Every structure is written in C-alpha cells, then in structure tokens.
Amino acid sequence: KGSKLTGISFLDDGNGTSYNGIYDGQEKVIEGNKVQLINPNGGHIINEAITNGSGKFTLWIPHIYNNHALLLKEVKNSTYLNVSGNVGTTTGIYSLINDNILFTSTSGNTYTEIGFGNAFISTFSPNGQQQAIPGMSVFYQHTFTAGSEGTVEFTLNSSSSSDASTWSQILYEDKNCNGTIEPDESQIEQKYLEKGEKLCLIAKIFTPAQASYSELHTFTINAEFTLTGISVENIFSVNDVTEVGD
C-alpha cells in the first residue's frame, strides 16, 4: 500500500493574494504543466503527471518509498515563472529556487493542498542588426513586456571589433511607441510596470567618423526585472549589432 499526492498549478500573481502559494480568489489554473516525483538519491523519476484542465494533478507513491525523502517538482514551459509553493499536508520544505518540495513519504497517507504558484514570464525583444556609414546614427526599437507587476532596471554594455574608434549609445523611452525620439522623450534607466504593461525603447547608436569598413559594434541591453512583493528577479537581454559599411 503506497500513498497519494494531489495538488494544483495556478497563476499566483494578482487575482487573489499574490505569491502566497494558495489557490484563492479568482486565480487562474494552469493546464499542461508537468509534475514529477523524484528520488533525490540519484535523481530517478518515480512518477509524473500532467496538470489537467482544472490545473490539478494526482501522483501515486509506491510502498517501497515508505519513510523515504522524496522531491515533488513542477516542470513548466518557458511561458511561466515560479513564484510560490505550498507544501500542503506533506509538511515538507518548499524551495523557490528549484521549484520543488522535499518531504518524507509515509505509506497509507493521502497528501493534499499542494500548490505550485506561477506568473507569466516577462519578455524583451527583438535583437537588431543594421549597417551604418561612419559619422551616422542608427536606431533600434525594442519592447519589454512585464509578465507581472514590478520594476525593470536597464544596464548597458558595448564592444567593438576595433579599439581604434569610440562608439556612443543612448537608451530612450519611446512613450508613444512610434519609433521616433520625440522632444519630451528622455533617457531611461528604470521604470515601474503594471502586469502586462509594454515599455517601448529606442537605442540610438552613433558610428564614429574614424570607424573602419566592416567594423562590428555590439550593444547589449540587460533588463533586470524585480517582481513587486517578492524577491524574484529575472534578467533579459537584447543585442544590437551595427556593421560599418560604405
């Protein structure tokens, strides 16, 4: 006689009490996430299930794992970010970094109220590539979309295939998302965003007059997004590559 695990995968980011690991309010469930039961001694997958249309899963624990430490792990696709977990009646320990629950199984038990809380992951795109003549400025458009409420902070890095020329670059907020830098649009370093809000950006790259033919310049924009109310951070990057042409 073994044991049984039941739980739910859901969006824990604003339609109930956010990031508490408890399915409440009007929070939406997630269908299609995989949940695995793993033996931490060697990493063997004992059993696995896919969350159904109600976001729920059921897993059976064979009796041979009675009084064994086990891991229950959610495996999600790239659309989601783990933000919370509820150990339910397992009385185990949830790891936010690994999105798993460590617990000791006792045969004959039915473990319930397990929860894996998620949020939509933010996006930052696209990468860009253009040609420019020496002394010319080129412009790249980008969009950062917040998967949840939080603050995005930008850091800028650049490199050139030649040390003989000095490139310059500026990152602007494109408030009306029209792809043109208006007089009232200024440089941006960070901004608070609501869930689902889009932030349009323009990177202005100035090609130095002394730049040589076929010289390459790479401008990297790193966007560090911190969710409001929880210590979860994600870093996204885009690259703009400018080649000096005729």
Side-chain angles (χ1 to χ4, degrees):
K1 184 179 180 180
S3 301
K4 184 169 76 170
L5 293 157
T6 63
I8 189 168
S9 178
F10 62 100
L11 287 172
D12 193 13
D13 66 342
N15 294 315
T17 302
S18 297
Y19 315 135
N20 66 345
I22 300 173
Y23 176 59
D24 56 13
Q26 301 298 314
E27 292 172 335
K28 296 181 179 180
V29 300
I30 299 175
E31 179 181 6
N33 273 353
K34 183 185 294 184
V35 182
Q36 296 178 330
L37 181 66
I38 301 170
N39 183 351
N41 185 15
H44 171 69
I45 299 174
I46 301 168
N47 205 346
E48 63 182 24
I50 304 296
T51 57
N52 62 21
S54 299
K56 296 180 179 180
F57 64 89
T58 299
L59 284 169
W60 296 93
I61 307 173
H63 176 63
I64 58 172
Y65 293 101
N66 181 43
N67 291 325
H68 277 239
L70 299 174
L71 284 173
L72 186 66
K73 179 175 179 62
E74 183 182 43
V75 182
K76 60 183 67 60
N77 62 42
S78 59
T79 304
Y80 301 108
L81 169 72
N82 53 293
V83 294
S84 65
N86 185 356
V87 302
T89 60
T90 67
T91 67
I93 299 172
Y94 174 73
S95 168
L96 180 62
I97 295 175
N98 300 311
D99 199 22
N100 62 28
I101 296 169
L102 176 65
F103 71 103
T104 299
S105 174
T106 302
S107 290
N109 282 348
T110 297
Y111 300 106
T112 61
E113 301 176 19
I114 299 165
F116 290 102
N118 300 275
F120 283 113
I121 199 163
S122 301
T123 60
F124 192 26
S125 64
N127 293 313
Q129 187 167 359
Q130 297 186 51
Q131 278 196 334
I133 61 174
M136 170 186 174
S137 292
V138 290
F139 302 87
Y140 295 91
Q141 294 177 250
H142 303 286
T143 302
F144 184 91
T145 303
S148 299
E149 176 188 358
T151 300
V152 60
E153 183 173 358
F154 298 101
T155 56
L156 313 177
N157 297 293
S158 64
S159 63
S160 175
S161 60
S162 172
D163 296 330
S165 55
T166 302
W167 296 65
S168 64
Q169 52 274 318
I170 303 174
L171 184 65
Y172 292 89
E173 178 182 0
D174 185 11
K175 294 179 181 178
N176 55 10
C177 298
N178 69 348
T180 302
I181 301 173
E182 308 288 355
D184 65 334
E185 293 175 339
S186 57
Q187 297 181 49
I188 185 171
E189 294 182 354
Q190 67 174 35
K191 188 171 183 179
Y192 164 81
L193 299 171
E194 297 282 356
K195 177 182 176 180
E197 185 176 354
K198 292 185 177 181
L199 174 63
C200 296
L201 304 165
I202 298 176
K204 179 181 179 181
I205 313 295
F206 177 73
T207 309
Q210 71 273 29
S212 57
Y213 176 74
S214 76
E215 182 176 336
L216 290 175
H217 175 267
T218 301
F219 179 49
T220 301
I221 308 171
N222 299 306
E224 182 175 341
F225 187 68
T226 304
L227 278 65
T228 299
I230 185 173
S231 297
V232 173
E233 300 176 350
N234 286 106
I235 297 178
F236 308 86
S237 299
V238 294
N239 292 300
D240 296 325
V241 179
T242 306
E243 180 181 12
V244 179
D246 294 329

